[in-house]
C-alpha cells in the first residue's frame, strides 16, 4: 500500500468516523427534502373547507356561485401533490334565511361562523351595477376562498357587464376564454417532438437549471473541501504531526494523500446526496402524470450524456486541485485558523466573484463577459458547468481545461514547496512568503 | 566513504537566505554505534537532522544514509522529533500502526509488535485509548514506540530527553542501549552533556553551524585541560608558581581558615608534578584532588565557551 494511499485513508477515516460529519452530511439533503415534503404534507393535510352562499345581488347568480364552489370540490384519491383540501358547498345557514340586506346579514355573521355550519359564507351584493363579494370566514381560513375563486368571481362581474350591454352570453364567454397563441422556439426544440407543458419547459430550461445547480455544487464542494484541507493541515501543524509524517514520506506524498483523502470525503458526500436526489426524483416521477414523467426522464437522459458528465467531473477535479492544494499549502504555515485569514480572506473574495454572476448568467448564459470570465482558470470550474448547458466549440472546452491544468500544475509545484517550507519553519504566513517560494528550494 | 558507516555527511551546508544554519559539515557514524550530536541551542543540529531525513535539501554537500539516499531510505530510519506530535483523536495502537505503515510495515505485523512494545513499556492498558486521554509521559512513550516499531537500522533522536522525568530518562537510556545491542545505529542530538557522556562512544559537536569536534568520547575529553583542586593555607601566588598551572581561581573557603583553589592545568601537564613541587616547597596543603575533564568541560572548550 503506497504512502500516499495510507495518508489518504487516514485522512478519510478521520473525517467519516466523526459524528459531526454524518450530522452535517445529512443536514443538506434533509433540509432539501423537508423543504419539498413538509409543504406538500401540510397541503395534503389541509381539511375541506365548507362554503355557503348568500345572493343579495338581485342578479340571481346563486347557482353560478354554487357552480364555482362545486368546481373546487375535493379530488379524493386523485388529489395532486400540491392540491389544497378543496371546497364543499353547504346549505345556507338557517340564521340567514329571509335576510334581505347586507347589514342584516353581516350582523349575524359572527353567530353563523361560530355555529360551525360553514367555514366561509360568500355574500354577493350589487354596488351600483358592480358585483361585490364579501367573503366572511373563520379567522384560520381568511383569504383562502378569495385566493381560489377570485378569477372566477371577476368573471361573474364580466358576464354581468356583458349582459347589461346586450352582448350575447356565448360571445362573452368566448371572448373571456380567448387567448393568443404564444410559442417560444429554438431550432433544437422545433426539431424535437412536442412535449407536454412541464416537460417542454424542462427541456428548454433544464440544461440551464442543471448547469447553475452544478456551478453552485462545484463551488460549495470545492470551497468546503478546501476548508477541510486547510483545517486538517493546521491541526497537524499545530500538533507537530507534520514533522513526523515528513520523516516517513515526501511532502508530495503527504500533500497528495491529504488531497485524495478529502476528495474521498467529498465523494462520500456526493454519493449520498446523489442517492437522495435519485430517490427524490423517483418519488417525483411516481407522483407526476406518467406521460410527463416519461418526457422529463427522456430530457434528463439527454442532458446527462456521458461526455457532459465527464466534463463536469473534469472541471470539478481541476478546481479542487487548484484550490485544495493552495489551501493545504497555506495551512502548513498556520498554527490556527486565525493565522490563515490574511491569505484565505482575499482568496475567498476572489472565489465569490463567479457566484455573483450566476443570476445574470442564468437568463443569458451566452454573455461575452461571462465567456471571458470563464476563460480565467480560477473561475473556470465554477462558470463552465453553467456554460456547458449551451453548445460550445470544442476548442473553448479544450482551452479552458488546458488553462486549468497549467494552473493546477503550477499550484501543485508551489504547494509542494510551500507545504514543506511551512511545515518545517515557524515563519509567519504572508503573501511575500508564499510568492518567494517560487525562487528557492526548501 | 567507509562501508561500515551508517551515515556519512560530506561538506554539507544549509543556508536560509543570508543565514547559514550549517556550514561545511562532514562526519560519519559507524554502524552499531551510539553517536551524540551535540551543540548549544541554535548550533544547527535540527537543520542537520532534517537534511539527513530528506525533509530539506542541503545547499551544498552530500549525505549518504545506510549506503544510499532518497525517500526509500526513510523506511530504514526511525525518527523522534524534538517537538513531539501524534494524532490526538486516534488510539495509541492505531497511531503506531499508521506510522509503521508509512515505513512499509504490514498492518498486522505493526499491530502485533505495537501491542507487545506498549505492554513492555507499561502501557498495556492504554493500547486502545485515544492519545488525548494519555498523560504527556505516556504519549512520549507511544511516540518513541512509533519511531522504533519498524525496527529501523538507523535511529535519529532529536533532543529525546527533553520533557522526560528522571525515571523516563533512565528508561530511554536503556532503550537506546538496546537498539545498539541489536546492531542498530543511534544518532541523538542533545545539549545536555550528561546523557551523551553515559551513552555515547562517539560525539560530533557543533557550534554556530560549524563542526568543532568529531571523535570518540575519550578524545573529546582530552581536548579539555585536566584540573587540580587544592585546599590549604596558601596564596594565589604560591599556587600559580607551581609547574603546569595555567589558570588559578578561588573556589571558596576551605576548612579552618584555609582556601580552596581550582587550578586549570596546561595541556599535557601532570597534576602529580604540581603536587610534588608543592610538597617540596613546604606549602601547607591540607587536601587535594586531581579531576579528569568531563564532556561538559570539553564542550565548553571546544565551542569557545558557548552556553550549553
Amino acid at each position: 500500500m503506497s504512502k500516499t494511499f495510507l495518508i489518504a485513508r487516514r485522512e478519510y477515516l478521520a473525517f467519516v468516523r466523526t459524528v459531526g460529519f454524518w450530522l452535517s452530511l445529512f443536514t443538506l439533503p434533509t433540509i432539501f427534502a423537508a423543504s419539498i415534503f413538509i409543504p406538500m404534507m401540510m397541503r395534503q393535510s389541509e381539511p375541506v373547507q365548507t362554503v355557503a352562499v348568500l345572493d343579495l345581488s338581485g342578479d340571481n347568480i346563486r347557482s353560478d356561485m354554487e357552480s364555482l364552489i362545486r368546481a373546487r370540490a375535493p379530488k379524493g384519491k386523485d388529489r395532486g401533490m400540491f392540491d389544497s383540501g378543496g371546497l364543499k358547498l353547504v346549505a345556507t345557514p338557517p340564521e340567514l334565511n329571509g335576510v334581505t340586506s347586507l347589514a342584516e346579514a353581516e350582523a349575524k355573521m359572527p353567530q353563523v361562523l361560530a355555529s360551525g355550519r360553514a367555514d366561509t359564507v360568500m355574500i354577493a351584493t350589487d354596488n351600483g351595477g358592480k358585483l361585490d363579494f364579501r367573503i366572511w370566514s373563520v379567522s384560520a381560513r381568511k383569504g383562502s376562498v378569495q385566493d381560489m375563486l377570485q378569477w372566477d368571481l371577476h368573471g361573474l362581474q364580466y358576464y354581468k357587464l356583458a349582459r347589461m350591454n346586450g352582448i350575447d352570453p356565448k360571445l362573452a364567454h368566448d371572448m373571456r376564454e380567448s387567448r393568443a397563441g404564444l410559442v417560444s422556439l429554438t431550432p433544437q426544440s422545433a426539431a424535437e417532438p412536442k412535449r407536454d407543458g412541464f416537460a417542454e419547459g424542462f427541456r428548454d430550461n433544464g440544461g440551464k437549471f442543471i448547469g447553475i445547480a452544478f456551478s453552485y455544487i462545484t463551488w460549495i464542494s470545492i470551497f468546503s473541501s478546501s476548508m477541510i484541507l486547510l483545517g486538517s493541515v493546521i491541526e497537524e501543524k499545530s500538533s507537530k504531526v507534520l514533522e513526523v509524517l515528513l520523516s516517513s514520506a515526501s511532502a508530495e506524498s503527504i500533500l497528495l494523500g491529504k488531497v485524495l483523502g478529502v476528495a474521498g470525503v467529498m465523494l462520500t458526500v456526493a454519493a449520498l446526496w446523489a442517492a437522495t436526489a435519485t430517490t427524490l426524483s423517483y418519488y417525483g416521477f411516481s407522483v407526476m402524470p406518467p406521460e410527463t414523467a416519461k418526457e422529463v426522464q427522456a430530457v434528463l437522459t439527454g442532458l446527462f450524456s456521458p461526455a457532459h458528465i465527464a466534463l463536469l467531473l473534469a472541471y470539478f477535479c481541476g478546481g479542487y486541485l487548484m484550490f485544495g492544494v493552495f489551501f493545504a499549502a497555506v495551512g502548513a504555515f498556520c498554527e490556527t485558523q486565525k493565522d490563515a485569514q490574511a491569505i484565505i480572506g482575499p482568496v475567498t473574495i476572489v472565489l465569490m466573484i463567479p457566484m455573483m454572476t450566476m443570476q445574470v448568467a442564468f437568463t443569458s448564459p451566452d454573455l461575452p463577459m461571462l465567456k471571458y470570465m470563464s476563460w480565467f482558470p480560477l473561475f473556470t470550474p465554477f462558470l463552465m458547468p453553467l456554460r456547458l448547458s449551451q453548445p460550445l466549440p470544442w476548442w473553448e472546452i479544450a482551452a479552458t481545461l488546458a488553462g486549468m491544468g497549467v494552473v493546477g500544475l503550477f499550484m501543485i509545484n508551489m504547494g509542494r514547496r510551500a507545504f514543506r517550507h511551512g511545515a518545517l519553519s515557524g515563519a509567519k504566513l504572508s503573501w511575500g512568503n508564499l510568492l518567494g517560494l517560487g525562487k528557492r528550494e526548501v | 566513504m567507509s562501508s561500515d558507516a551508517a551515515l556519512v555527511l560530506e561538506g554539507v551546508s544549509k543556508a536560509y537566505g543570508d543565514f547559514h544554519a550549517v556550514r561545511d559539515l562532514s562526519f560519519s557514524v559507524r554502524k552499531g554505534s551510539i553517536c551524540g550530536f551535540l551543540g548549544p541551542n541554535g548550533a544547527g543540529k535540527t537543520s542537520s537532522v532534517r537534511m539527513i531525513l530528506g525533509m530539506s535539501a542541503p545547499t551544498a554537500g552530500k549525505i549518504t544514509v545506510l549506503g544510499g539516499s532518497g525517500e526509500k531510505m526513510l523506511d530504514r530510519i526511525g525518527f523522534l522529533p524534538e517537538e513531539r506530535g501524534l494524532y490526538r483523536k486516534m488510539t495509541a495502537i492505531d497511531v503506531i500502526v499508521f506510522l509503521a505503515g508509512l515505513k512499509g510495515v504490514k498492518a498486522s505485523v505493526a499491530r502485533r509488535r505495537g501491542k507487545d512494545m506498549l505492554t513492555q513499556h507499561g502501557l498495556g492498558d492504554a493500547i486502545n485509548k485515544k492519545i488525548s486521554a494519555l498523560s504527556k509521559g505516556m504519549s512520549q512513550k507511544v511516540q518513541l514506540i512509533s519511531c522504533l516499531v519498524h525496527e529501523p537500522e538507523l535511529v535519529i533522536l532529536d533532543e529525546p530527553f527533553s520533557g522526560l522525568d528522571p525515571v523516563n530518562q533512565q528508561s530511554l537510556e536503556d532503550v537506546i542501549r538496546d537498539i545498539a545491542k541489536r546492531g542498530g545505529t543511534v544518532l541523538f542530538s542533545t545539549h545536555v552533556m550528561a546523557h551523551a557522556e553515559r551513552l555515547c562512544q562517539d560525539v560530533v559537536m557543533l557550534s554556530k553551524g560549524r563542526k568543532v569536534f568529531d571523535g570518540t568520547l575519550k578524545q573529546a575529553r582530552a581536548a579539555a585541560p585536566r584540573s587540580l583542586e587544592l585546599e590549604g593555607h596558601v596564596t594565589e601566588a604560591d599556587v600559580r608558581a607551581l609547574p603546569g598551572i595555567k589558570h588559578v581561581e578561588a573556589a571558596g573557603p576551605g576548612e579552618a581558615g584555609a582556601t580552596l583553589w581550582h587550578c586549570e592545568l596546561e595541556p599535557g601537564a601532570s597534576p602529580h608534578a604540581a603536587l610534588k613541587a608543592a610538597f617540596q616547597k613546604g606549602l601547607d596543603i591540607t587536601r587535594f584532588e586531581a579531576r579528569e575533564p568531563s564532556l561538559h568541560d570539553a564542550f565548553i572548550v571546544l565551542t569557545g565557551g558557548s552556553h550549553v
Side-chain angles (χ1 to χ4, degrees), chain B residues 97-109:
Chain B
V97 171
F98 169 65
L99 293 175
L102 291 180
K103 298 289 189 182
V105 181
K106 274 186 170 179
S108 56
V109 175

Side-chain angles (χ1 to χ4, degrees), chain A residues 3 236 239 247-248 420 424, chain B residues 50 55 75 85 87 102-103:
Chain A
K3 295 178 180 185
E236 287 185 357
S239 65
S247 71
S248 300
R420 188 150 54 162
L424 294 177
Chain B
R50 285 176 172 174
M55 290 184 199
D75 292 356
Y87 292 106
L102 291 180
K103 298 289 189 182

Side-chain angles (χ1 to χ4, degrees), chain A residues 135-147:
Chain A
I135 304 166
W136 282 77
S137 300
V138 291
S139 49
R141 297 272 167 255
K142 187 186 178 207
S144 65
V145 169
Q146 183 177 334
D147 289 344

Side-chain angles (χ1 to χ4, degrees), chain A residues 130-209:
Chain A
K130 183 167 76 71
L131 287 174
D132 269 0
F133 294 96
R134 295 179 64 85
I135 304 166
W136 282 77
S137 300
V138 291
S139 49
R141 297 272 167 255
K142 187 186 178 207
S144 65
V145 169
Q146 183 177 334
D147 289 344
M148 276 191 264
L149 297 181
Q150 58 182 328
W151 178 247
D152 297 319
L153 295 174
H154 288 313
L156 293 182
Q157 166 62 25
Y158 179 90
Y159 294 126
K160 176 185 166 82
L161 197 61
R163 273 197 310 278
M164 286 168 65
N165 287 281
I167 298 171
D168 175 38
K170 185 177 179 309
L171 176 61
H173 178 265
D174 291 347
M175 285 170 67
R176 182 170 167 79
E177 296 300 321
S178 180
R179 298 284 185 279
L182 302 174
V183 182
S184 296
L185 292 166
T186 65
Q188 186 195 5
S189 65
E192 290 184 8
K194 182 88 179 85
R195 300 173 196 277
D196 82 3
F198 178 76
E200 186 81 19
F202 191 74
R203 182 191 62 193
D204 292 341
N205 294 305
K208 282 195 282 187
F209 273 118

Side-chain angles (χ1 to χ4, degrees), chain B residues 290-304:
Chain B
R291 282 187 61 234
E292 289 299 315
S294 66
L295 190 59
H296 179 93
D297 299 326
F299 183 82
I300 297 290
V301 170
L302 290 166
T303 60

Side-chain angles (χ1 to χ4, degrees), chain A residues 85-339:
Chain A
L87 305 178
K88 183 184 176 188
L89 181 68
V90 294
T92 306
E95 294 91 333
L96 298 175
N97 287 339
V99 168
T100 55
S101 74
L102 178 64
E104 195 185 349
E106 292 195 331
K108 292 184 174 179
M109 272 308 131
Q111 182 195 345
V112 168
L113 294 172
S115 72
R117 278 190 281 272
D119 298 320
T120 299
V121 177
M122 198 158 55
I123 308 170
T125 59
D126 183 278
N127 183 12
K130 183 167 76 71
L131 287 174
D132 269 0
F133 294 96
R134 295 179 64 85
I135 304 166
W136 282 77
S137 300
V138 291
S139 49
R141 297 272 167 255
K142 187 186 178 207
S144 65
V145 169
Q146 183 177 334
D147 289 344
M148 276 191 264
L149 297 181
Q150 58 182 328
W151 178 247
D152 297 319
L153 295 174
H154 288 313
L156 293 182
Q157 166 62 25
Y158 179 90
Y159 294 126
K160 176 185 166 82
L161 197 61
R163 273 197 310 278
M164 286 168 65
N165 287 281
I167 298 171
D168 175 38
K170 185 177 179 309
L171 176 61
H173 178 265
D174 291 347
M175 285 170 67
R176 182 170 167 79
E177 296 300 321
S178 180
R179 298 284 185 279
L182 302 174
V183 182
S184 296
L185 292 166
T186 65
Q188 186 195 5
S189 65
E192 290 184 8
K194 182 88 179 85
R195 300 173 196 277
D196 82 3
F198 178 76
E200 186 81 19
F202 191 74
R203 182 191 62 193
D204 292 341
N205 294 305
K208 282 195 282 187
F209 273 118
I210 289 169
I212 214 158
F214 264 89
S215 288
Y216 273 113
I217 289 170
T218 304
W219 191 89
I220 291 169
S221 305
I222 289 176
F223 189 69
S224 52
S225 53
S226 297
M227 292 306 287
I228 289 175
L229 266 172
L230 176 75
S232 163
V233 177
I234 287 175
E235 188 185 349
E236 287 185 357
K237 162 97 174 178
S238 60
S239 65
K240 315 299 176 196
V241 177
L242 264 186
E243 191 170 355
V244 178
L245 293 182
L246 280 166
S247 71
S248 300
S250 65
E252 291 84 350
S253 293
I254 298 169
L255 192 58
L256 191 60
K258 296 187 84 62
V259 168
L260 287 178
V262 174
V265 174
M266 295 314 293
L267 277 178
T268 305
V269 174
L272 194 97
W273 288 359
T276 308
T278 308
T279 309
L280 288 175
S281 303
Y282 274 107
Y283 178 75
F285 292 142
S286 72
V287 296
M288 274 182 197
E291 281 307 308
T292 305
K294 205 185 288 179
E295 298 283 0
V296 171
Q297 279 175 307
V299 172
L300 278 176
T301 309
L303 282 172
F304 285 107
S305 67
H308 194 170
I309 293 172
L311 282 174
L312 289 174
L313 280 174
Y315 284 116
F316 174 79
C317 291
Y320 176 61
L321 209 59
M322 285 191 295
F323 289 100
V325 168
F326 178 78
F327 276 54
V330 168
F333 281 90
C334 307
E335 299 268 350
T336 65
Q337 293 274 0
K338 198 177 164 188
D339 296 343

